[in-house]
Amino acid sequence: MKLGDTVPNFTFETNLRKNQNLHSYIGDNWLMLFSHPADFTPVCTTELAELVRLAPEFNRRHVEILAISIDSSETHRFFNGGNNLPFEIIADTDRKICTELGMIDPDEQNSQGMCLSARAVMLFGPDRKLKSKILYPATFGRNFVEILRMVDGVQLGNKAPVATPVNWISGDNVIAQPSLSQKRVINELCGGDPNKCKVVPLPSGKRYFRVIVGDAYLQN
Ligand code: BEZ
């Protein structure tokens, strides 16, 4: 899937329910589709535990979490022991969804010689379009602080014509998108106050690096 593509309306089964479809599942929320190789493996266990811990942070950002691996719904239920996970796990036993979304790791196989799912994160907006993705091999565990940072930055860019600089974290100043006219920067991002746009002096003398001080753009 490429950025901006609409996620297909897959029908799927999870540890909890059969015959769901992805578009209804998303509803008016964001969706983080989160693939992992298999339920009873050490790295996946650390990641799923971290996802349980951080689930309220995703909820606060209106992001539904939907995990997916190539295990069966029975295995997911066993792993889930008592249905206490704050998210559902898709049973993609035929690898249809993972294959179509490019979430397979060709280098890692299970005991039957079948490829495992990779460690992908796909963030879809309420419009069901792909806004961002991360793709790691099965052997490399993800950084959930970075995933939350990605959600924050992408949601911000979706709300206002801003961009976020290197190592930005929520609350830091943002940058006006380069294509935006100075008039729009002042009106739409600075609440009409030109002092809230600081142009960073550069050796080239060009005035493209415009930092927005404060968060007037969030009030719109
Ligand atoms: C794990 O989750 O521990 C794992 C899964 C596949 C390959 C390597 C590690």
Side-chain angles (χ1 to χ4, degrees), residues 38 83 150:
N83 288 339
M150 173 183 93

Side-chain angles (χ1 to χ4, degrees), residues 6-58:
T6 300
V7 68
N9 194 14
F10 294 114
T11 301
F12 60 88
E13 176 176 346
T14 70
N15 52 310
L16 293 185
R17 294 180 279 172
K18 287 187 177 165
N19 277 326
Q20 305 192 66
N21 73 73
L22 202 52
H23 287 186
S24 320
Y25 195 93
I26 296 175
D28 295 329
N29 292 317
W30 290 66
L31 173 75
M32 185 179 79
L33 191 59
F34 166 91
S35 70
H36 62 282
D39 290 336
F40 294 98
T41 53
V43 178
C44 294
T45 300
T46 61
E47 287 191 333
L48 290 164
E50 183 67 345
L51 201 47
V52 169
R53 192 179 75 82
L54 292 176
E57 289 297 319
F58 288 95

Side-chain angles (χ1 to χ4, degrees), residues 176 182 185-186 190 193-199 210-213:
Q182 188 63 8
V185 170
I186 306 303
C190 303
D193 180 355
N195 294 321
K196 293 201 167 142
C197 173
K198 304 276 181 216
V199 180
R210 298 169 293 179
V211 174
I212 308 304
V213 180

Side-chain angles (χ1 to χ4, degrees), residues 9-139:
N9 194 14
F10 294 114
T11 301
F12 60 88
E13 176 176 346
T14 70
N15 52 310
L16 293 185
R17 294 180 279 172
K18 287 187 177 165
N19 277 326
Q20 305 192 66
N21 73 73
L22 202 52
H23 287 186
S24 320
Y25 195 93
I26 296 175
D28 295 329
N29 292 317
W30 290 66
L31 173 75
M32 185 179 79
L33 191 59
F34 166 91
S35 70
H36 62 282
D39 290 336
F40 294 98
T41 53
V43 178
C44 294
T45 300
T46 61
E47 287 191 333
L48 290 164
E50 183 67 345
L51 201 47
V52 169
R53 192 179 75 82
L54 292 176
E57 289 297 319
F58 288 95
N59 290 344
R60 205 159 63 73
R61 292 160 172 84
H62 305 285
V63 178
E64 295 282 349
I65 303 167
L66 194 48
I68 177 168
S69 87
I70 46 80
D71 291 308
S72 66
S73 51
E74 291 76 35
T75 309
H76 288 333
R77 271 195 286 282
F78 185 31
F79 182 73
N80 189 6
N83 288 339
N84 288 327
L85 293 179
F87 48 83
E88 296 179 47
I89 311 178
I90 297 178
D92 191 33
T93 47
D94 61 4
R95 291 155 177 73
K96 186 174 179 295
I97 300 177
C98 286
T99 302
E100 197 161 334
L101 296 182
M103 293 173 153
I104 293 289
D105 185 339
D107 290 336
E108 296 298 328
Q109 282 134 26
N110 64 10
S111 50
Q112 289 92 51
M114 301 289 285
C115 287
L116 297 175
S117 20
R119 298 187 194 279
V121 178
M122 288 192 171
L123 181 66
F124 297 95
D127 60 1
R128 295 160 190 162
K129 292 189 174 149
L130 181 66
K131 305 294 181 192
S132 188
K133 77 173 168 183
I134 290 173
L135 181 58
Y136 289 163
T139 47

Side-chain angles (χ1 to χ4, degrees), residues 139-182:
T139 47
F140 187 53
R142 284 158 282 198
N143 180 329
F144 280 77
V145 175
E146 172 60 7
I147 294 173
L148 277 173
R149 193 186 80 90
M150 173 183 93
V151 170
D152 286 339
V154 170
Q155 288 188 335
L156 203 54
N158 218 57
K159 229 180 258 165
V162 295
T164 52
V166 61
N167 296 340
W168 172 92
I169 55 168
S170 182
D172 286 354
N173 287 338
V174 298
I175 293 168
Q177 287 184 10
S179 60
L180 212 59
S181 70
Q182 188 63 8

